[in-house]
Amino acid sequence: MDGSGDQCLILNITANNGIYLGDNPFNEPLPNFITQLAAILITTRFLYHLFKPLHQPRIVSEVLGGLLLGPSALGNTNYFADLFPTNNVVTLETFAQMSLVLHMFLVGLELDLSSIGRINKKAMTLVVIGLFLPFMVWLVFFYLLHGSFAQDEQRDYNEKCDFLWAGTLTVTSFQAVNRILSDLKLLNSEIGRLARPIALISDLGSWILTVMLIPFCANSVKAPFVIIATIAGIFASFYTIRPLLAWIVHHTSNHSKSHSDVYLCFPLVSAILSGFITDSTGIHPIVGAFVFGLIMPDELTVTLMDRFDYFISRLMLPVFFAVSGLRVDIFKITKWSLVFIFVIMFSAAKIIVFVLVSVVSNVNTRDSFALGLLMSTKGTWAILLVATGLEKGVLHDGDYAVMVVAILLMNCIVAPTIATIYKRSNLFVKYNSRTIQDAKPEAEFRILICVHSYCDVPGMLKLLHVSHDPRYNRKVIFTLHLVEISDRQSTMLIVHNSHTTNNLRDHASSETDRTITAFSKFKDMIPNVRIQSLTISSPFMALDGDICSIAKDKAVTFIILPFHKRAGSMNQKVLFNAPCSVGIFVNRGLEEANVTQSDVGIHEIAMLFLGGADDCEALAYAWKMAAHPGVSLTVIRLIETDFLDYSSKENEQDDDYIHEFRYKTADEELIIYQEKELHSGEELIDTLKDIENKFELFIVGRRDGLESPITTQLFHMIECPDLGVIGNLLAKSESSSSSVLVVQQFRYLSSHGTQMFQKRTSRLERRNVKY
C-alpha cells in the first residue's frame, strides 16, 4: 500500500450519535435530504397561499421559494448554507429530476390526442405564427446582438446559447395557461376558447422544440442522429407498444373501475424505464416518460391520475422548480438591464404577432393582446431549457440567473394583467334578455339546461315540452352535462354535434351519450326548437363559475338547475352570480315518462304568487307555459291581509303585473286566477297541504332577501336556502308527489358587485338603466 491511492471512505446515511453527542445532522445524507424537502415544501406552499389572491401560478411560488432558500437570499446565512451544502446537493437534484420525469408521464397520460384533431384551422395558423415565427426572429436577433448580451466580456461566442435563449423566449406552457384561465373563471369565455387549443398545440410545439434543442446543446454533430432515433422510437411506441398494451389490459383486467396494484405499479416502472432508454440515447428522460404516458390505454388513465397526480405534481414537482431557483445567484448578474429587456421581449414578441394576426382574422384587438400575453407564459419547458443549458455549459451562472429571474417576472405579470383586462364586471357582456319578463315574444327564448346525470333528463324534457308553444315560440336550448372531476385535473368543455361523440376518458361518457340522444330525439319531435349539447368536465368547486360563463357566452335568458342537496352550495353560487334568471327544478316521479307530441305530461300547473320580483318572474314563466295547448294554469295569489301596505311601491308593482296578467288572459278557459288571504305562517302551511296533490307542478318565486312577516315566521324550517321558504315547504313534504320549480329573477349588480336595484324594482325602471 503506497497510501496515495487507497482511501477508506465512511459514508453514514443517518447520524450515528445524534445532536446530544455533538453530531451535526446536516453532515449525513438522509437527515439533510428530509430537512431540505421540508424547507422547500413549507416555503413554496406558504408563498403559494400568499400570492394566490394575486392570481399567481404555482411556478412563481415554487421558483421563488428556491431562490429565497438559495445563495440569492437565505443561502448566505450559516444555517441555510449548511442546509443546502454544495457537496450534498446531488441527492436533491436527483429527486428533482425524478419528479420531473414522473410529472411528464402524468402530462402525457392526461393529454387527449383526439382533441387535437378537433382544433380548427385558425387556431393551427395562430400556433405556427405564434411559436415558430418568434423563434426564428429571436434567433436572428441574438445572433446579430450576441455581444450586447454577454455577461462575461472575455467569453467566446457560442452559437448554442442563441438557440437556448430563443427557445426559452418561444416555448409556452399549456398547464400554466390553463391554470390562469381556470383561476380567473375564463375557461369558457371567448378568450378561454381561443387560448386553450392554441396553448395546447404550442405546448406540443414546445416539446418538439425542446427535443431538438437538448441534443444540439450536448453534441451538435451527433444531434441529427439522436433526433432521428427519437422519432423512430416514437413511431414504434404508437404503432407497436400501444396496441400491445391495449391488448394486455383488455384481456387481463376485469373491466371494473378499480384495478389491482399490478396495473398501478407497471405503468410507473415502465415510465421510468422509458426515461432511461431515451436518456441513454442522448435525449432527456422526460421524452420517454411523456411518450409512454401518451400511449397508455384509456382504461387506466383516470385511476392513475387519481392515485398519483397529487403526490407527484404537488409534493414532488415543486422540488424541481425549487432546485432551479436554488441554482440562481442574483449577485452574478452583472447587467440587470438584461432582465428587464428580456421581460419586455417575452411579452412584446408574441403580443405583436397576435395583434398583427387580428388584423386579418375575426379576433378583436383586446383578445389578440390577451392571447399574446398568455402565450408568453413560461412553465416546465422554459425552466428545463435553461437548466439544461447550465448543465451542458452552454449558459454561465450569470446567464442562467438572468433567464430564470426574467421568467419569474414574466409569469408574475401575466395573470394580474389578464385579470385586469377581463375583470368580473366585464365578463357578463351586455345582452338584452336577462329576465323572462324582458324577453320579447317574437324573439328566440334561450335556455340553459344543466344535468348531473341521466336521471335528471326525463323530468327536464317534460318541463321543456310543457313550456313550449309549438305554434309561436322559438327556443334555443343548451344542454350542459356537468361532470365532476378531481380539482387536480384540467377543466374541459366539449361542444357536441350530430357527427361527434363524447371524448371524456371516464365512465361519464355513456351518460353523456344517453343525454345527447334523448335531447336529439326531443328536437326531432318538437318544432321550432334548436338544441346544442355541451359537456363540462370540471372540479366541483368550479362548476358554478363554468355554468355562469357559458350562460353569459350563449346570451341565455333562463338557467334551469336540477335540485340536489349535495349540489346546494353550487346552486346558491349560481343564484348569486348568474347573468340571467335561474330556476331550481325539484323533479318527482317523472323519470319513467316518455315525451311525445301527443303526451303533454304535466297537465295541472299552479303558480303561487306572494309578491316581489322573483314571484313576478315565476308568473312570467308560468304564463309562457300556459300557452301550450292542454295545459291548465292556476294562479293563486297569497295575500297577507294583516300586514299588507296597499300604498307601498312594491305592492303597486305587484298589482300592476297581476292586473296585466288577468286582463290579457281573461278569455283563456284553462287559466284560473284565485286569491287566498293569510293571517299567519300556520295558515300558509295548511294552504299548501290542501293543494299539494292537486297539481303536478308548482311554480314559485325564491323571494330571497324579501322581508315578509308570514314567511319570516317560517325561516327556521328552511333546510335548503336555494329553494326559499315556500319552495322548501313544498319540496320537503313527504305526502306530496308534485314537482316544484323555484324561480329567481336576475339581479342587476353594480361594478363593485353590490346590488344596484332592489328586487322589486319595476321592469320599466330596469329598462331605463344603462348596464
Side-chain angles (χ1 to χ4, degrees), residues 270-319:
S270 300
I272 295 172
L273 289 176
S274 299
F276 167 75
I277 293 172
T278 53
D279 185 55
S280 62
T281 59
I283 295 290
H284 201 283
I286 64 169
V287 176
F290 178 72
V291 172
F292 191 79
L294 286 176
I295 65 175
M296 282 298 297
D298 293 346
E299 291 87 344
L300 299 179
T301 300
V302 176
T303 303
L304 290 170
M305 290 297 299
D306 288 341
R307 292 290 186 92
F308 301 118
D309 184 59
Y310 184 83
F311 179 76
I312 294 173
S313 299
R314 294 292 179 265
L315 297 179
M316 293 182 65
L317 188 63
V319 178

Side-chain angles (χ1 to χ4, degrees), residues 434-437 445 463 467 557-561 571 574-575 578 580-586 605-625 657 697-706 721-728 730 739-747 759:
R434 291 174 180 252
T435 68
I436 302 170
Q437 289 178 266
F445 189 59
L463 181 64
S467 304
T557 301
F558 195 36
I559 302 173
I560 302 180
L561 301 168
N571 289 350
V574 174
L575 288 166
C580 59
S581 296
V582 181
I584 308 294
F585 182 49
V586 183
I605 300 173
M607 193 276 139
L608 303 180
F609 189 96
L610 190 58
D614 288 353
D615 281 15
C616 290
E617 189 76 349
L619 178 57
Y621 192 71
W623 195 347
K624 280 184 173 292
M625 298 177 73
Y657 195 58
L697 174 68
F698 285 95
I699 303 177
V700 299
R702 182 170 177 248
R703 293 174 50 82
D704 181 53
L706 284 183
D722 49 324
L723 297 181
V725 175
I726 298 179
N728 267 271
L730 290 170
S739 298
V740 183
L741 179 65
V742 181
V743 179
Q744 175 184 280
Q745 191 178 69
F746 167 67
R747 304 179 180 186
K759 295 176 69 178

Side-chain angles (χ1 to χ4, degrees), residues 305-547:
M305 290 297 299
D306 288 341
R307 292 290 186 92
F308 301 118
D309 184 59
Y310 184 83
F311 179 76
I312 294 173
S313 299
R314 294 292 179 265
L315 297 179
M316 293 182 65
L317 188 63
V319 178
F320 168 75
F321 292 113
V323 168
S324 302
L326 281 168
R327 293 174 174 175
V328 174
D329 187 354
I330 61 174
F331 299 106
K332 293 185 178 181
I333 300 178
T334 59
K335 295 183 179 180
W336 275 95
S337 58
L338 289 180
V339 175
F340 302 104
I341 291 174
F342 283 131
V343 169
I344 296 173
M345 290 168 63
F346 279 164
S347 56
K350 294 193 177 182
I351 289 174
I352 293 174
V353 169
F354 280 96
V355 170
L356 290 177
V357 169
S358 68
V359 177
V360 295
S361 66
N362 295 325
V363 183
N364 61 52
T365 304
R366 184 183 70 165
D367 289 342
S368 299
F369 179 86
L371 275 176
L373 198 59
L374 283 169
M375 294 307 110
S376 301
T377 306
K378 307 303 173 187
T380 306
W381 299 121
I383 297 295
L384 178 62
L385 279 175
V386 294
T388 302
L390 181 64
E391 292 172 0
K392 304 299 183 182
V394 177
L395 296 178
H396 288 215
D397 291 340
D399 299 327
Y400 176 81
V402 167
M403 295 301 295
V404 172
V405 173
I407 291 171
L408 195 63
L409 292 177
M410 188 64 244
N411 282 336
C412 290
I413 294 171
V414 173
T417 306
I418 298 296
T420 303
I421 296 174
Y422 296 94
K423 58 184 178 180
R424 190 168 186 81
S425 60
N426 291 333
L427 290 181
F428 299 139
V429 178
K430 304 171 186 178
Y431 58 88
N432 294 325
S433 298
R434 291 174 180 252
T435 68
I436 302 170
Q437 289 178 266
D438 290 337
K440 297 179 180 180
E442 66 277 8
E444 287 184 334
F445 189 59
R446 304 170 75 86
I447 303 176
L448 176 63
I449 301 292
C450 301
V451 296
H452 292 279
S453 65
Y454 183 76
C455 297
D456 300 325
V457 174
M460 289 289 187
L461 289 176
K462 298 273 292 195
L463 181 64
L464 287 174
H465 186 215
V466 79
S467 304
H468 181 65
D469 183 359
R471 299 168 297 177
Y472 309 110
N473 293 157
R474 291 183 299 153
K475 277 190 173 64
V476 180
I477 299 172
F478 302 96
T479 67
L480 182 63
H481 184 200
L482 308 173
V483 179
E484 180 185 349
I485 60 174
S486 167
D487 59 359
R488 301 177 299 276
Q489 294 175 271
S490 300
T491 299
M492 178 170 57
L493 176 66
I494 299 176
V495 180
H496 303 277
N497 56 50
S498 58
H499 304 291
T500 61
T501 58
N502 185 34
N503 288 288
L504 289 177
R505 290 176 145 187
D506 57 20
H507 65 279
S509 59
S510 58
E511 291 225 50
T512 301
D513 293 338
R514 294 174 64 193
T515 301
I516 296 171
T517 301
F519 279 99
S520 297
K521 291 180 179 179
F522 176 82
K523 180 188 68 173
D524 296 336
M525 293 177 181
I526 307 299
N528 297 329
V529 172
R530 291 192 296 115
I531 292 181
Q532 184 179 74
S533 296
L534 310 125
T535 297
I536 185 72
S537 176
S538 181
F540 180 79
M541 298 302 294
L543 282 175
D544 59 289
D546 297 327
I547 293 171

